[in-house]
């Protein structure tokens, strides 16, 4: 005879055909209820089922003998997933890898349910605002992947907002500092060439480091961006000032910004070299691990986007130049540029009265005062 149906237990089949079980004690209970893990009617399953029916506080996923259900187990699976190995850029993996290691070291043998929203918020608070943002993004990606692959039923980072300070991130270089750098590093210096590549093409460090002569054809720079995994192209005409800088600092190899032996810099090596050039020019730099703002290579990318938007570039043109997808980033710059232009137009319409008009206004004022008396 078949075993009787368990009360309050509901069977759900996903669009992929995966069967899951949920305990819902009342029709008034929101959502599907409490997820029950483990083999159907197995020891783990029945223990979780009875706990849910009785209202006992219990992890939704028990840790098995092989560590299944633990934080370390989940992170191990994530590191071997396509989402981690293929869909994230090498730079993002390098940034998030140490954060995953920190989480793993602190909670390897704990059940996944130990990572609550409160724990995530504590982890954010224990870091600087920039580090906290990376911590939250790393944890969010981990649990988003777990939910999508039905390894867990919720993302504890949902709803957590990060205070980004003034919301500006990297500081865009003002014209005064651009001129200060140019005065310190003349044409023909490698430091000036780095600067001009960042300013006139608006490349990220990784793309600037691998920029080669093969990427410039018929006066246009064209390459696939590193951050997109080689799927997003950029097209930027070579500015005359950049062409002059490249000609004044030729390399023996294919690299545009080349080391002494003509080879490419690494992403980190280029960043460090340019940081030293900024310091030598007497310009404050962004301090690593600190919320104190300074200037960086990425700030020149922002300056480049600002100049392009204020020169009338459309959102589509900005996307083509800077390798953005969608319109969120482009709109940040076009809206600011539009506001600036509108303010200038409004000021042009706001004409002051002529001296004669001012005199007439004063006479009217005196007459009204006399009538009131």
């Amino acid at each position: 005879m078949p075993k009787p149906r368990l009360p309050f237990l509901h069977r759900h089949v996903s669009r992929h055909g995966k069967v899951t079980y949920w305990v819902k004690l009342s029709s008034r209970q929101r959502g599907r209820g409490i997820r029950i893990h483990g083999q159907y009617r197995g020891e783990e399953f029945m223990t979780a089922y009875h706990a849910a029916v009785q209202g006992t506080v219990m992890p939704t996923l028990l840790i098995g003998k092989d560590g299944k259900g633990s934080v370390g187990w989940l992170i191990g699976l994530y590191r071997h997933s396509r989402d981690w190995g293929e869909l994230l850029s090498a730079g993002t993996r390098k940034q998030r890898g140490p954060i995953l290691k920190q989480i793993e070291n602190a909670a390897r043998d704990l059940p996944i349910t130990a990572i609550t929203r409160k724990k995530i918020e504590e982890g954010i608070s224990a870091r600087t605002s920039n580090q906290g943002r990376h911590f939250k993004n790393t944890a969010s990606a981990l649990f988003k992947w777990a939910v999508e692959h039905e390894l867990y039923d919720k993302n504890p980072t949902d709803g957590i907002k990060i205070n980004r300070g003034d919301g500006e991130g990297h500081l865009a270089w003002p014209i005064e500092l651009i001129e200060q750098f140019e005065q310190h590093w003349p044409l023909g210096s490698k430091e000036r060439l780095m600067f001009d590549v960042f300013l006139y093409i608006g490349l990220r460090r990784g793309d600037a480091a691998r920029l080669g002569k093969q990427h410039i054809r018929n006066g246009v720079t064209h390459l696939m961006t590193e951050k997109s995994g080689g799927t997003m192209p950029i097209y930027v005409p070579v500015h005359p000032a950049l062409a002059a800088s490249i000609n004044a600092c030729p390399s023996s190899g294919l690299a545009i910004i080349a080391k002494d032996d003509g080879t490419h810099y690494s992403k980190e090596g280029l960043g460090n070299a340019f940081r030293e050039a900024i310091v030598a020019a007497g310009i404050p730099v962004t301090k690593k691990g600190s919320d104190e703002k300074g200037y960086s290579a990425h700030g020149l990318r922002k300056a480049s986007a600002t100049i392009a938007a204020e020169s009338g570039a459309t959102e589509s043109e900005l996307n083509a130049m800077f390798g953005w997808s969608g319109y969120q980033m482009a709109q940040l710059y076009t809206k600011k540029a539009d506001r600036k232009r509108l303010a200038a137009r409004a000021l042009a319409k706001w004409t002051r009265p002529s001296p004669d008009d001012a005199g007439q206004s004063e006479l009217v004022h005196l007459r009204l005062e006399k009538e009131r008396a």
Side-chain angles (χ1 to χ4, degrees):
M1 292 180 62
K3 293 182 179 180
R5 176 177 171 273
L6 295 171
F8 310 113
L9 186 68
H10 298 264
R11 183 174 180 268
H12 174 75
V13 181
S14 72
R15 60 189 179 90
H16 301 294
K18 183 168 182 176
V19 178
T20 55
Y21 293 91
W22 304 76
V23 166
K24 191 169 185 179
L25 302 177
S26 169
S27 59
R28 297 179 181 178
Q29 187 176 348
R30 298 179 65 181
R32 293 180 185 166
I34 302 172
R35 171 82 178 271
I36 306 300
H37 295 268
Q39 184 179 0
Y40 179 65
R41 285 188 178 270
E43 181 180 354
E44 177 186 342
F45 184 96
M46 295 306 296
T47 301
Y49 165 77
H50 288 300
V53 171
Q54 295 166 12
T56 305
V57 177
M58 180 179 176
T60 56
L61 188 62
L62 298 176
I63 299 177
K65 293 180 180 179
D66 57 354
K68 181 179 180 180
S70 67
V71 173
W73 167 80
L74 182 65
I75 291 176
L77 291 178
Y78 179 56
R79 282 204 186 100
H80 288 88
S81 70
R82 178 173 175 267
D83 290 58
W84 175 264
E86 297 181 22
L87 301 186
L88 292 181
S89 68
T92 301
R93 289 198 303 272
K94 184 173 182 179
Q95 180 189 77
R96 294 182 179 179
I99 299 175
L100 278 179
K101 190 64 177 178
Q102 292 171 9
I103 298 173
E104 187 177 25
N105 290 341
R108 177 186 290 107
D109 299 324
L110 296 177
I112 300 173
T113 47
I115 309 299
T116 61
R117 173 170 177 156
K118 181 180 179 181
K119 289 295 184 183
I120 297 294
E121 290 176 336
E122 288 175 354
I124 294 171
S125 299
R127 293 166 168 82
T128 65
S129 62
N130 194 45
Q131 292 171 342
R133 176 167 55 86
H134 292 312
F135 174 80
K136 188 257 184 179
N137 291 343
T138 301
S140 178
L142 169 66
F143 281 97
K144 180 183 178 183
W145 173 82
V147 172
E148 289 176 348
H149 290 79
E150 299 184 342
L151 298 172
Y152 197 44
D153 53 8
K154 63 181 178 181
N155 188 334
T157 68
D158 286 348
I160 296 178
K161 296 182 179 179
I162 297 292
N163 180 12
R164 296 179 63 93
D166 60 8
E168 294 297 325
H170 294 271
L171 294 178
W173 289 51
I175 189 64
E176 296 81 7
L177 292 184
I178 289 176
E179 292 174 347
Q180 181 176 328
F181 190 98
E182 290 175 336
Q183 290 170 4
H184 185 86
W185 295 108
L187 279 176
S189 64
K190 190 182 300 183
E191 291 80 2
R192 178 63 173 272
L193 177 58
M194 296 176 189
F195 176 87
D196 288 339
V197 167
F198 286 128
L199 179 62
Y200 291 108
I201 309 182
L203 295 177
R204 299 181 180 91
R205 283 184 311 160
D207 294 325
R210 64 188 183 86
L211 178 66
K213 297 172 184 176
Q214 72 275 19
H215 295 126
I216 300 177
R217 290 285 183 272
N218 300 319
V220 177
T221 303
H222 170 221
L223 74 162
M224 310 300 284
T225 62
E226 177 192 54
K227 188 172 182 179
S228 70
T231 61
M232 181 63 67
I234 62 166
Y235 301 91
V236 184
V238 177
H239 192 279
L242 175 60
S245 190
I246 293 174
N247 291 333
C249 190
S251 70
S252 58
L254 285 177
I256 295 295
I257 305 174
K259 294 189 289 187
D260 293 339
D261 60 359
T263 61
H264 290 271
Y265 279 90
S266 66
K267 175 180 178 178
E268 293 75 17
L270 179 60
N272 291 334
F274 188 65
R275 180 185 178 87
E276 292 173 1
I278 297 173
V279 173
I283 298 171
V285 296
T286 301
K287 294 183 179 179
K288 296 180 180 180
S290 171
D291 289 336
E292 186 176 341
K293 293 292 183 69
Y295 294 91
S296 63
H298 200 84
L300 277 177
R301 174 176 166 84
K302 295 186 71 171
S304 180
T306 300
I307 292 169
E310 291 180 353
S311 299
T314 66
E315 292 169 5
S316 296
E317 289 168 342
L318 289 173
N319 279 352
M321 290 177 64
F322 296 97
W324 295 323
S325 58
Y327 290 94
Q328 183 178 6
M329 286 300 299
Q331 285 175 355
L332 289 176
Y333 292 93
T334 55
K335 284 181 179 179
K336 287 182 181 180
D338 289 343
R339 288 174 67 86
K340 190 173 182 179
R341 282 192 288 268
L342 288 172
R345 290 177 191 171
L347 188 61
K349 295 176 181 177
W350 182 24
T351 56
R352 297 181 63 183
S354 67
D356 290 341
D357 291 339
Q360 291 295 325
S361 297
E362 182 64 22
L363 288 175
V364 170
H365 175 72
L366 292 173
R367 180 174 61 79
L368 292 174
E369 287 294 322
K370 186 176 180 180
E371 290 176 354
R372 291 194 191 97

